[in-house]
Amino acid sequence: MSMPFEHPADDHSFGSAPPAGPVEATARTPLWTEWTHSLYTDAGPTVPRGSLIVQKFGGSSVADAAGICRAARRIAKTREAGYQVVAVVSAMGDTTDQLCELAAGVSQNPNPGALDSLLSMGEAVSSSLLAMALVDCGQAARTFTGSQAGLITDSVHGKARITDVRPGRLRTCLDHDTVPIVAGFQGRTQKGRRVTTLGRGGSDLTAVALAAALGAGICEIYTDVDGVYTADPRIVPMARKIAALSSEEMLEFAACGSKVMHLRSVEYARRFGLPIHVRSSFSDEMGTLILPGLDRSPFQRPAPEQAVITEVSGCEALAEITVAGLPDDAASMSALFRSLAQPGIGVQSIVEKRPGTARRADVVFSLPAAQSASALSLLRSRQPDLGFEGLQHNGLAGKVMLSGLGMRSSPAVFSTFFNALSKARVDLDLIEISETGLGALTRADQLENAVRAVRAAFGLSTDRAAAKTSAATRLAAARGPASHQHPSRSAPAKLTRRA
């Protein structure tokens, strides 16, 4: 838990719909769980009975027949509790990977449009199977492709972005007391109606976009983990599940490599004020709530001037490129990053330094290691146009990231972070700061030690009671100036570089 710290086929219909029934009350639960439980038991202000819930089932949740039947039973149970449901499904298990391998076997450079059409078939299979299972549960169901569901995108195959959502067919389906089952991960272009895919994890984005367009009370993301943890439980056995997060915090998690939620889906949900519930498809336990803002928090949060430390994470698949001797003017900087943006290279931290050469600067940036070869090749080809003098490449970098809220208002957060890394003898390079995160680039071989040191310094590597005590001992000393700035209006990240 977060803690205060201050230092392409026609659609098909199946079956008929039964009448909705009441939901049974359960035993007394803790505060945040009780609030979430009210989503399903009370006609309260959050998700009253009769409201719409979008339920998305990931590939691991529908990997086999048993998983599909389990998903169908969950949908039926939600319907019987008195709610409307729109289901969104991913392809079964490793289907997408298998289709990619098949495409690579027949073509060294598959046509992007044809590849998108192929990959969209995986979700069509799982949606049809889920519809069959729902019929056996006594629920009427109708399948939709992304195009039929009204997801309109740009024309960038493989990484399409949603430009519009027109869920008229889904509304009609709901009005007929039928469960729409939408194939995730896909949409269509406005012109030409060509099939597009949204990129890896795009089914999350499909679910969130439809939930926002339909005015759903909540979007549930069912996966093979039971929520968001303070660290990867497979690496840190003592990691704890987080009860609730703001969307700002989840944005930092996703941006720093957390694989639980798709980054673009969190951004989309935040924009429309949509709550998300990440939970396991294999149990009925509560998961992690991702809420639109602090005012929607289900439990008492600290005052705005208090930093809330949520997670320490590490990302190891990073590279660092230095563009040396770039002309020191705004036009050259713009041309540099415009060139990198055209093929979709994901630049992260950026810093400019002046080594002393007149009207020349070195620009250092980090990016995913898998994209470094493409970036270097592109920059070398554009060197005559951009006018820089040389390139330097560090392909073995990692980033340690502290996530939470109120980072700028608590100087003790900075001092604790850097003191922990100094004691662990971790070399730092690019530093980035925002309202919801504090991160530093380091050598990949030092990343594990860096994560351990920072977690220990902020009390996230001990049990809950000890962590609270550890945080409390730093409370008074860490008070910073009061800040009333909402996280969504935080200033751009400040970037510095170690001399």
Side-chain angles (χ1 to χ4, degrees):
M1 180 180 291
S2 304
M3 65 175 63
F5 176 85
E6 292 192 62
H7 203 35
D10 292 335
D11 50 315
H12 301 283
S13 298
F14 304 83
S16 58
V23 63
E24 297 181 1
T26 59
R28 180 78 178 173
T29 53
L31 179 59
W32 76 270
T33 309
E34 183 176 303
W35 180 90
T36 312
H37 183 65
S38 70
L39 298 178
Y40 307 97
T41 59
D42 302 331
T46 307
V47 185
R49 188 169 296 150
S51 295
L52 172 66
I53 297 175
V54 174
Q55 296 182 329
K56 179 261 177 177
F57 298 90
S60 59
S61 300
V62 292
D64 51 27
I68 290 171
C69 291
R70 185 166 46 242
R73 289 193 296 270
R74 189 176 293 275
I75 294 169
K77 183 178 179 180
T78 307
R79 290 272 297 133
E80 291 161 3
Y83 297 97
Q84 292 184 307
V85 176
V86 171
V88 176
V89 291
S90 298
M92 298 174 64
D94 298 324
T95 298
T96 302
D97 290 334
Q98 293 168 0
L99 291 174
C100 285
E101 292 175 3
L102 187 61
V106 301
S107 173
Q108 293 182 352
N109 187 24
N111 176 271
L115 183 60
D116 273 1
S117 295
L118 172 67
L119 298 183
S120 68
M121 294 297 101
E123 283 72 17
V125 171
S126 52
S127 62
S128 297
L129 292 172
L130 181 58
M132 297 176 193
L134 263 177
V135 172
D136 289 349
C137 292
Q139 300 288 335
R142 186 176 181 180
T143 61
F144 294 85
T145 63
S147 173
Q148 292 163 348
L151 284 162
I152 313 301
T153 74
D154 61 22
S155 58
V156 180
H157 289 288
K159 284 187 178 180
R161 288 189 170 271
I162 294 173
T163 59
D164 195 10
V165 182
R166 304 170 186 172
R169 292 183 179 182
L170 302 187
R171 292 187 192 279
T172 301
C173 185
L174 291 167
D175 290 343
H176 286 81
D177 209 22
T178 300
V179 178
I181 303 175
V182 181
F185 176 64
Q186 60 189 259
R188 69 165 174 84
T189 60
Q190 174 68 38
K191 181 180 283 187
R193 296 175 176 264
R194 299 188 305 274
V195 174
T196 55
T197 59
L198 305 176
R200 289 293 180 145
S203 292
D204 286 355
L205 182 57
T206 300
V208 168
L210 291 176
L214 291 165
I218 196 166
C219 180
E220 296 184 329
I221 304 294
Y222 287 94
T223 180
D224 56 356
V225 296
D226 60 349
V228 181
Y229 279 73
T230 56
D232 189 336
R234 294 169 297 184
I235 300 174
V236 184
M238 298 182 71
R240 300 184 305 278
K241 184 171 70 177
I242 302 170
L245 291 165
S246 71
S247 56
E248 293 85 2
E249 291 172 296
M250 192 63 219
L251 277 173
E252 293 288 348
F253 278 32
C256 293
S258 175
K259 299 178 181 178
V260 177
M261 280 291 298
H262 191 260
L263 175 61
R264 287 160 59 193
S265 65
V266 181
E267 293 173 339
Y268 203 103
R270 180 188 180 195
R271 187 182 313 156
F272 289 94
L274 177 72
I276 298 174
H277 189 187
V278 180
R279 57 192 311 194
S280 172
S281 59
F282 300 92
S283 74
D284 292 327
E285 294 294 321
M286 302 308 300
T288 298
L289 284 167
I290 302 170
L291 301 167
L294 297 180
D295 56 325
R296 298 291 300 275
S297 175
F299 55 93
Q300 184 63 43
R301 288 257 184 185
E305 67 269 16
Q306 292 177 310
V308 181
I309 306 304
T310 307
E311 183 189 56
V312 178
S313 56
C315 179
E316 61 182 355
L318 291 178
E320 182 181 273
I321 292 177
T322 300
V323 180
L326 184 74
D328 189 14
D329 56 69
S332 296
M333 182 76 81
S334 174
L336 170 64
F337 290 105
R338 190 166 58 247
S339 299
L340 293 169
Q342 288 174 353
I345 293 173
V347 174
Q348 297 181 8
S349 306
I350 307 168
V351 67
E352 180 183 21
K353 65 175 184 176
R354 295 172 177 82
T357 305
R359 288 180 285 188
R360 293 276 175 175
D362 293 348
V363 178
V364 187
F365 61 89
S366 63
L367 73 167
Q371 297 182 347
S372 61
S374 298
L376 289 168
S377 176
L378 173 68
L379 289 172
R380 291 187 183 106
S381 69
R382 294 296 312 278
Q383 184 171 0
D385 298 326
L386 295 173
F388 62 85
E389 296 174 345
L391 291 173
Q392 299 172 16
H393 175 229
N394 173 17
L396 297 174
K399 181 167 69 173
V400 55
M401 191 76 187
L402 181 67
S403 300
L405 289 175
M407 297 292 179
R408 294 181 185 276
S409 63
S410 182
V413 171
F414 305 141
S415 62
T416 303
F417 180 81
F418 293 116
N419 186 52
L421 294 174
S422 174
K423 288 182 177 179
R425 299 184 181 278
V426 173
D427 296 322
L428 303 182
D429 204 339
L430 294 175
I431 311 296
E432 57 183 74
I433 305 166
S434 73
E435 181 66 26
T436 55
L438 171 60
L441 220 66
T442 184
R443 298 202 323 252
D445 60 353
Q446 293 183 331
L447 181 61
E448 187 173 345
N449 287 339
V451 171
R452 284 203 194 99
V454 175
R455 285 183 57 80
F458 285 95
L460 292 174
S461 60
T462 58
D463 59 55
R464 183 176 301 177
K468 289 183 177 179
T469 301
S470 176
T473 60
R474 293 186 283 265
L475 201 60
R479 288 193 184 276
S483 172
H484 302 287
Q485 184 182 44
H486 191 278
S488 64
R489 302 185 182 91
S490 58
K494 178 182 179 181
L495 304 177
T496 60
R497 181 177 169 88
R498 178 176 60 86

